[in-house]
Amino acid sequence: MKQPIYINGLGVISPQKTFDVEGFLTEPIEYHENYILALDAAYKEYINPVQIRRMSRILKMTLSAAKKAMQDAGIEKPDAIIAGSGYGCIDDTEKFLLNMLDNKEMMLNPTAFMQSTHNSVAGMVALNVKCNAYNFTYVHRGFSFETSLLDAMMWMQEGKENVLIGGFDENSVNHHTVTNKIDFWKKEKVDAFDLLKTKTIGSISGEGANFMLLSSNKNEHTYGEVKDVKMCYKPNEEELLEALSKFLKKNNLEIKDIDIYLTGLNGDVTQDRIYYRSINELMKDTPVAWFKHLCGDYYTAGSFGLWVAAQICKRQEAPAILMLDGASPKKPIKNILLYNHYRNINHSFYLIQS
Amino acid sequence: MGVVSSIGMNVEENLQSLKTSKTGLCFTQFLDSIHKHELPVCEIPLDDDALAERLGLSVSDGYTRTSLLGLLAVKEALASAGISDMKSATTALISSTTVGGMRNTEVIYHELLSPNLREEYINFLNSHDLGESTERIADYFGVKDFVTTISTACSSSANAIILGARLIKHGIVDRAICGGTDTLSKFTINGFNSLMILDKEHSRPFDDSRVGLNLGEGAGYIILESEALVKKENKKILAELTGYSNTNDAFHQTASSPEGNGAFMAMSEALEMSGLSNSDISYINVHGTATPNNDVSEGRAMHRLFGDALPKFSSTKPFTGHTLAACGGIEAVYAILAIQHSLIFPSLNFKNKMNEVDIAPQTTLLENYEVNHVLSNSFGFGGNNTSIIISKA
Amino acid sequence: MEDLKLKLKEQIIEALNLEGMSPAEIDDAAPMFGEGLGLDSIDALELIVLLEKNYSIRIEDPKDGRAIFESINTMAAYIQSKQIA
């Protein structure tokens, strides 16, 4: 029998009030820049002073989020730790790189190099909870978090009970400058909540540390169940629609069973076209929601989307800020289909059930 | 299987170098570093244009050195597995790297940031992240079914092999191209130098006088196929992956625990999975970086696990240098070569046993030695420990 | 010598990001590693960089650091001996 996979703990640090708050997006913050940062948490409550002094911001964010997810699920030590990140610890990478170039390769501080390694996050979490188990880091653009999720799901079929997964990426000014040249981000100022009204290319650059404790046990901590995840690499439109219909069929669902279609719409006209095609054709009777106006876009933004879906499942409500065109979800909210893609290259479907 | 390294541009050349104790150690021809006359490295003696030419590509299209090395090794691997049509079976590409496009980024970083970017660099604006080289490889060979990248420092490509095996086990794909690619860069040379673990001489794994490692570059990939696919296509099998394990030392951000707990667990769990007993292992290709810390930790873990019945072991890092994300893939190829040719490769530069643990590697080439099961270790920063077992088919 | 020690403590606090610590709280004779300040091997490498940056003193072998960085006293004495020489 297939082992069900439950989301039992969440720890999310994002540009919204998602950490150490009771409500679910009750006070959404609207940003007006194309570069938005996560709200810093009270990191010292999660990390001891000896460790924290050396940590970069992304390490503080991820360790706090990871610990929160475990606390939320009542788990002290998971059976595996799997993290995904598009850019890893880009700030420390740039720090060491610039130091090296500007100081002509002399007198370089090892700390930035050591922490620039992509797996420093998963390693640090393991070190912190003394977890000797499986420890992986995926770094494949818009598949980084999705591969982590799939890997966790495979392990749980093989008998691991509690697996910590996380998606994280941080913004950095230099990196923003570079990717701005290839039109990743909007050139004009934009009001985030009106992102879909813009008719220009580019999105807003966001960040976050989004951790979840997946468990094979359903209990009072459970938010919802992850039924499936599927990645599609560079599909054309036909292949994409075919993949979606196969995905639903495999899970014994039809389009009418989907109560919320949660999309990765990001306000880039060239990118959003792909979502609209499915919205207009297949999902025309399904309530549509989105989330990137809240967290910005980044390689692992799908992990924020999964947090949104998990919260909706548990609370059986979707705040209006998430719903497109004033739609309201079908109730009870049973099936949420999350579809996200990064720059029309890395496409992913997730199915979450309450 | 396919491999490029400083000791050869293909499997056959690597084998010849391993048999004749020919190392890739040199001073860099291509890196403009202040350390270029002081810190030796294991560099592939071809510039980017020459590498691209072998693939019929042009560097200005945005091919980083990391991509080019990966492409060359995967090309050989596909040819050796007789795969010409990617659509004949669902195929995954699982590649790994630690610094991705850094080699190119560091040269043009200020250019990339400047408002007046030169035309020739436009194609490198999106080549820094670690997934980029994987997508270049996927697109070149037409892999579409499953594409991902792993980065767990020096255990990366051994972990790519683990993921490939598990995807096949779960029926997600029938075939997986698994390995890694990394290039020398000023970034890594200076990074390891700031940790003071680079040797100015040729590295000496497991020797009491060792002070550190030499960095290298390269790429190594193996192709895993399901039993059903192999039967269906009546394929020749090079070897079988019989065990694997990844564990975390949870001891320190960069250092391994002095007792090698993570390493011990990884080796024991891999053995347990394979169903083999300790005495079945014919050869251990150790991680053996020659840093003071790694070799004691790994050595103690081996001693704990095998006691006085320690199999023959050697580190091939003095041949290739430490190729970071690529080493697990490259050494998996060497493990297969050891089985195919009944060889144990020498651990170069070893003279005296370490003070801390009473073990000595094989120092000369051993021929006509029956190798049935090879344990291959790859350990990395962040406490990441991986052991895989490759067996005679 | 006292001036040097004070300066050194300030530099160590900055380089190792010992947030909230003041020079007065660091005992000249207390061990910096393990029990005392609780520093580790990465801090030792950072201290080597500190010596090079601020005092133009190069330590080639990280093993030499152990004795030099035992306490503020030993570190200051080492700097002074190098400066006189």
Side-chain angles (χ1 to χ4, degrees):
Chain A
M1 209 190 94
K2 215 179 160 208
Q3 170 64 53
I5 290 155
Y6 302 102
I7 301 176
N8 280 7
L10 299 172
V12 164
I13 293 179
S14 76
Q16 300 296 327
K17 294 176 187 170
T18 51
F19 199 73
D20 280 336
V21 290
E22 280 301 311
F24 172 37
L25 298 171
T26 45
E27 301 163 56
I29 303 169
E30 181 169 24
Y31 291 88
H32 308 280
E33 308 287 328
N34 67 1
Y35 180 86
I36 66 175
L37 298 176
L39 303 173
D40 281 315
Y43 301 124
K44 284 184 180 157
E45 288 174 21
Y46 294 87
I47 310 169
N48 78 45
V50 182
Q51 291 176 310
I52 206 167
R53 65 190 168 86
R54 220 157 37 200
M55 285 184 180
S56 64
R57 185 166 162 269
I58 190 70
L59 289 180
K60 290 180 205 168
M61 280 166 62
T62 48
L63 183 54
S64 303
K67 288 182 97 166
K68 179 83 176 179
M70 288 185 274
Q71 276 174 20
D72 192 27
I75 296 294
E76 276 177 18
K77 197 187 283 191
D79 303 318
I81 297 171
I82 310 172
S85 178
Y87 289 117
C89 304
I90 187 91
D91 197 56
D92 267 330
T93 308
E94 287 176 345
K95 197 192 277 177
F96 190 81
L97 176 60
L98 279 173
N99 256 331
M100 177 183 92
L101 296 174
D102 298 345
N103 293 340
K104 309 267 179 288
E105 303 178 62
M106 283 181 289
M107 292 180 278
L108 297 172
N109 302 91
T111 302
F113 175 71
M114 183 179 83
Q115 294 186 162
S116 74
T117 329
H118 285 64
N119 69 322
S120 58
V121 165
M124 178 192 62
V125 176
L127 183 60
N128 205 272
V129 296
K130 294 278 165 234
C131 176
N132 294 119
Y134 184 84
N135 192 290
F136 258 46
T137 300
Y138 294 102
V139 293
H140 196 92
R141 299 190 156 178
F143 288 158
S144 307
F145 176 70
E146 290 73 11
T147 323
S148 310
L149 176 59
L150 177 75
D151 191 2
M153 292 174 78
M154 289 196 295
W155 271 125
M156 292 171 74
Q157 298 308 326
E158 292 180 44
K160 285 191 192 282
E161 268 182 59
N162 297 296
V163 178
L164 179 71
I165 62 167
F168 67 91
D169 270 300
E170 64 178 331
N171 248 326
S172 93
V173 175
N174 282 349
H175 188 256
H176 189 77
T177 305
V178 173
T179 42
N180 216 6
K181 293 183 183 184
I182 31 176
D183 300 329
F184 274 31
W185 317 118
K186 294 222 179 281
K187 302 284 190 280
E188 73 279 9
K189 290 234 168 198
V190 54
D191 299 326
F193 294 173
D194 292 330
L195 195 54
L196 298 185
K197 290 184 188 149
T198 61
K199 295 288 171 253
T200 51
I201 50 171
S203 184
I204 50 179
S205 172
E207 63 172 19
N210 312 317
F211 279 74
M212 283 143 222
L213 195 289
L214 302 180
S215 176
S216 45
N217 306 310
K218 188 176 183 177
N219 55 31
E220 73 275 15
H221 301 288
T222 301
Y223 287 84
E225 187 183 342
V226 185
K227 294 296 285 187
D228 205 355
V229 62
K230 166 80 186 165
M231 289 166 261
C232 299
Y233 177 65
K234 290 191 176 172
N236 61 32
E237 291 197 348
E238 278 67 28
E239 286 167 336
L240 191 66
L241 293 177
E242 195 193 320
L244 173 58
S245 84
K246 265 193 193 159
F247 182 73
L248 291 173
K249 200 168 170 191
K250 182 178 158 214
N251 290 287
N252 300 315
L253 290 176
E254 292 177 44
I255 283 166
K256 67 171 173 47
D257 300 320
I258 302 300
D259 301 304
I260 297 181
Y261 179 43
L262 181 58
T263 66
L265 283 162
N266 74 355
D268 180 320
V269 284
T270 54
Q271 309 294 317
D272 283 352
R273 231 175 259 154
I274 299 144
Y275 296 105
Y276 282 122
R277 165 126 194 222
S278 64
I279 292 171
N280 295 338
E281 285 190 11
L282 293 169
M283 299 287 177
K284 53 183 182 293
D285 300 319
T286 309
V288 178
W290 65 310
F291 58 90
K292 286 185 182 164
H293 55 317
L294 300 171
C295 65
D297 208 358
Y298 50 98
Y299 279 136
T300 48
S303 57
F304 186 84
L306 184 55
W307 171 80
V308 166
Q311 290 281 12
I312 293 175
C313 281
K314 180 155 192 171
R315 294 164 190 265
Q316 284 295 306
E317 56 158 336
I321 190 71
L322 292 169
M323 304 305 298
L324 198 67
D325 301 328
S328 48
K330 297 187 224 165
K331 289 202 173 174
I333 305 169
K334 172 87 174 146
N335 295 307
I336 301 178
L337 175 68
L338 167 55
Y339 166 44
N340 184 36
H341 73 80
Y342 202 90
R343 307 205 66 77
N344 198 14
I345 293 170
N346 312 116
H347 295 252
S348 56
F349 298 107
Y350 307 52
L351 182 64
I352 306 100
Q353 252 176 21
S354 61
Chain B
M1 56 179 172
V3 62
V4 292
S5 77
S6 57
I7 60 166
M9 293 305 291
N10 54 44
V11 171
E12 184 53 35
E13 285 179 24
N14 273 267
L15 176 63
Q16 288 315 314
S17 296
L18 289 168
K19 284 167 77 174
T20 54
S21 291
K22 183 178 159 254
T23 155
L25 196 74
C26 62
F27 286 103
T28 173
Q29 296 177 51
F30 305 120
L31 274 178
D32 186 22
S33 165
I34 63 161
H35 305 296
K36 65 182 175 188
H37 302 303
E38 172 206 7
L39 293 171
V41 292
C42 292
E43 185 175 64
I44 292 172
L46 291 170
D47 68 11
D48 293 5
D49 288 323
L51 294 170
E53 204 186 299
R54 290 180 172 225
L55 292 153
L57 296 171
S58 162
V59 171
S60 61
D61 289 330
Y63 287 95
T64 63
R65 189 171 177 86
T66 302
S67 296
L68 295 169
L69 296 182
L71 282 163
L72 283 165
V74 171
K75 192 173 184 175
E76 185 187 22
L78 288 169
S80 97
I83 298 166
S84 49
D85 178 15
M86 235 16 109
K87 293 200 176 72
S88 66
T90 48
T91 304
L93 170 65
I94 304 151
S95 189
S96 62
T97 176
T98 61
V99 287
M102 178 60 83
R103 163 66 169 263
N104 297 70
T105 306
E106 68 188 15
V107 177
I108 57 171
Y109 194 56
H110 286 295
E111 281 278 347
L112 291 176
L113 291 171
S114 95
N116 309 309
L117 181 69
R118 291 220 296 266
E119 180 99 18
E120 64 201 275
Y121 298 136
I122 287 177
N123 288 327
F124 287 94
L125 281 166
N126 198 24
S127 67
H128 176 74
D129 71 281
L130 306 194
E132 201 265 352
S133 54
T134 310
E135 292 192 354
R136 292 281 185 166
I137 298 169
D139 294 350
Y140 186 92
F141 299 106
V143 179
K144 280 200 77 166
D145 302 319
F146 193 100
V147 178
T148 201
T149 311
I150 291 174
S151 193
T152 53
C154 315
S155 55
S156 299
S157 50
N159 285 339
I161 293 169
I162 294 185
L163 180 70
R166 294 179 57 238
L167 287 173
I168 291 170
K169 180 175 164 185
H170 285 262
I172 295 171
V173 297
D174 303 317
R175 172 158 74 200
I177 306 162
C178 312
T181 170
D182 252 332
T183 48
L184 285 163
S185 70
K186 280 177 12 176
F187 186 90
T188 40
I189 291 174
N190 281 287
F192 281 86
N193 198 36
S194 78
L195 293 170
M196 302 183 89
I197 49 174
L198 291 182
D199 196 339
K200 290 179 177 144
E201 314 288 325
H202 200 181
S203 69
R204 299 173 295 283
F206 288 84
D207 188 86
D208 203 43
S209 74
R210 77 203 179 282
V211 295
L213 54 89
N214 309 127
L215 284 168
E217 63 183 352
Y221 291 81
I222 60 170
I223 294 176
L224 301 177
E225 294 190 317
S226 70
E227 222 175 323
L229 180 66
V230 168
K231 274 190 189 137
K232 190 180 116 195
E233 298 193 343
N234 200 16
K235 292 274 264 282
K236 182 174 150 255
I237 304 168
L238 300 182
E240 189 183 343
L241 181 70
T242 49
Y244 51 79
S245 173
N246 168 261
T247 66
N248 196 283
D249 207 26
F251 173 74
H252 185 267
Q253 279 175 300
T254 54
S256 313
S257 63
E259 298 308 315
N261 291 332
F264 179 81
M265 282 185 284
M267 289 189 287
S268 335
E269 287 180 14
L271 265 171
E272 195 188 322
M273 176 188 278
S274 68
L276 299 168
S277 59
N278 287 0
S279 59
D280 293 326
I281 298 294
S282 341
Y283 167 50
I284 308 175
N285 185 302
V286 293
H287 188 52
T289 56
T291 64
N293 176 246
N294 175 81
D295 293 4
V296 167
S297 179
E298 185 174 15
R300 281 194 175 137
M302 293 193 312
H303 193 65
R304 261 166 82 192
L305 183 59
F306 292 97
D308 293 333
L310 187 63
K312 302 277 181 205
F313 76 94
S314 67
S315 167
T316 45
K317 297 254 178 352
F319 285 94
T320 58
H322 188 354
T323 55
L324 306 179
C327 71
I330 292 175
E331 288 163 24
V333 172
Y334 294 173
I336 296 168
L337 289 174
I339 292 169
Q340 282 182 329
H341 300 274
S342 304
L343 294 171
I344 307 267
F345 307 119
S347 211
L348 303 177
N349 306 329
F350 174 86
K351 287 203 181 72
N352 302 301
K353 286 180 187 174
M354 298 184 287
N355 214 1
E356 295 87 345
V357 44
D358 185 25
I359 55 170
Q362 176 65 30
T363 55
T364 52
L365 179 74
L366 210 52
E367 294 180 276
N368 304 315
Y369 189 91
E370 193 179 349
V371 180
N372 293 317
H373 304 280
V374 182
L375 174 66
S376 179
N377 287 338
S378 298
F379 306 144
F381 279 7
N384 210 287
N385 297 291
T386 300
S387 295
I388 62 175
I389 295 172
I390 294 178
S391 302
K392 191 176 267 182
Chain C
M1 191 71 173
E2 287 313 305
D3 287 353
L4 172 62
K5 285 183 195 169
L6 180 66
K7 185 104 202 123
L8 194 54
K9 287 180 193 173
E10 285 167 357
Q11 287 162 343
I12 290 173
I13 288 170
E14 203 207 322
L16 305 184
N17 206 3
L18 301 171
E19 242 175 77
M21 256 209 154
S22 72
E25 289 171 75
I26 304 176
D27 182 355
D28 291 356
M32 292 207 278
F33 290 80
E35 291 292 297
L37 273 183
L39 305 183
D40 69 5
S41 58
I42 299 297
D43 294 310
L45 294 171
E46 290 289 355
L47 291 177
I48 291 175
V49 177
L50 184 152
L51 281 185
E52 193 174 357
K53 264 188 187 157
N54 296 297
Y55 301 95
S56 306
I57 299 171
R58 278 195 73 151
I59 295 179
E60 293 285 348
D61 186 343
K63 275 187 256 153
D64 297 344
R66 249 174 257 166
I68 300 165
F69 304 137
E70 206 177 295
S71 67
I72 294 291
N73 283 335
T74 58
M75 200 170 162
Y78 180 75
I79 293 169
Q80 213 168 38
S81 74
K82 285 284 166 183
Q83 282 172 338
I84 294 163

